[in-house]
Amino acid sequence: MTERGATGTESEPSARPGEFDLIAKYFAPLAASAAARGLVDDAAVLTPPSGADLVLTKDALAANIHFFSTDAPQDVARKALRVNLSDLAAKGADPVGYLLALALPDDWTENWVAGFAEGLAEDQMRYDWSLLGGDTIRAAGGLTISVTAIGAVPTGEAVDRGTARPGDVLYVSGTLGDAALGLMLRGGDARAERWALERGHGDALVERYLRPEPRLELASLLRAHAHAAMDISDGLSGDIGHMLKASGLRGHVRLADLPLSEAAKAVLASDPEMIERVVSGGDDYEILAAVPPEAVEVFEDGARAAGISVTAVGQCAQGEVGQVAFLDAEGEPVDMVAHAFRHF
């Protein structure tokens, strides 16, 4: 990890730690893997596990786009890692390590970096993986974090998103919409004021926004039983459309079957229109899986044993490619204007 100024030369010293002191104090202790070489080299050297394919994914987060600049640095670190872990989980992969690029704004503080490193360390221990290397620079704009995550999956067993088949049952893990509703609360959205939630419900929604839960416990089940899978990052309505389009299929979703937390139910009880935010809001980081009918029982049993709830919400079919029909409790189509989150 190196820090360079706009001219390509090393940054001028200041009261804050310099490039090498910053790395040695906060990031080298996170590089437990031998592949990282103690962060004293310009590159890591990783030997893939025997009989495994490597899975690589990258997500970048920008302040006041993907998180608030006032969020605790520990939470920012956790989110940066977990959104990538969610991608690995959807491929059926186990985490191996990650590369970190950190672009710090001019007003960065050592206390912030210390808290950020603390959050990284906690999630490294929780998910059993290690920092392998990266880069640290000074940014002209706001704080930006980019993580490249590396996972391993038995050779040939990575789960694609575009291999769902007609008749497959569509499952989602956990509950949907909490993070999108939590973002509205966290950002002071005026519409959230009319929900009149109990404090516990409001706190639960904000927690889901700040700290997503990657469903790594489902990785082996997806490899064994799912025809296709992906993580839900841009909203169910958009991501299910992506899966169906990639698979050359259409499908339907039963709104009454969507798994909702008690907090989300409380929101919908006072503001039914928020169902569209639940369906399209994004930041769920749950798993969407297409499971053949003959495997649904063993898939559900396995998820239950792993301590992760999974819910059947729809089905794949032949027809207009990428078309998603949302159905009410009577099976009638519902006109939804929901769409996926877009960066541009």
Side-chain angles (χ1 to χ4, degrees), residues 124-168:
Q124 284 192 189
M125 182 174 295
R126 178 174 180 180
Y127 297 109
D128 191 25
W129 66 336
S130 173
L131 176 66
L132 298 179
D135 197 15
T136 304
I137 64 172
R138 188 169 57 193
L143 172 67
T144 303
I145 304 157
S146 179
V147 170
T148 300
I150 303 169
V153 61
T155 301
E157 294 187 20
V159 185
D160 293 334
R161 74 162 58 175
T163 48
R165 302 176 189 176
D168 280 353

Side-chain angles (χ1 to χ4, degrees), residues 65-119:
I65 301 294
H66 302 96
F67 61 89
F68 292 91
S69 59
T70 53
D71 286 345
Q74 293 87 343
D75 286 334
V76 176
R78 294 184 187 103
K79 190 164 193 177
L81 294 186
R82 294 182 188 188
V83 300
N84 283 276
L85 286 167
S86 183
D87 282 326
L88 293 183
K91 303 302 291 181
D94 298 315
V96 172
Y98 66 96
L99 303 171
L100 170 68
L102 186 61
L104 294 168
D106 286 336
D107 60 352
W108 71 273
T109 67
E110 185 175 357
N111 283 341
W112 190 94
V113 174
F116 183 76
E118 178 185 328

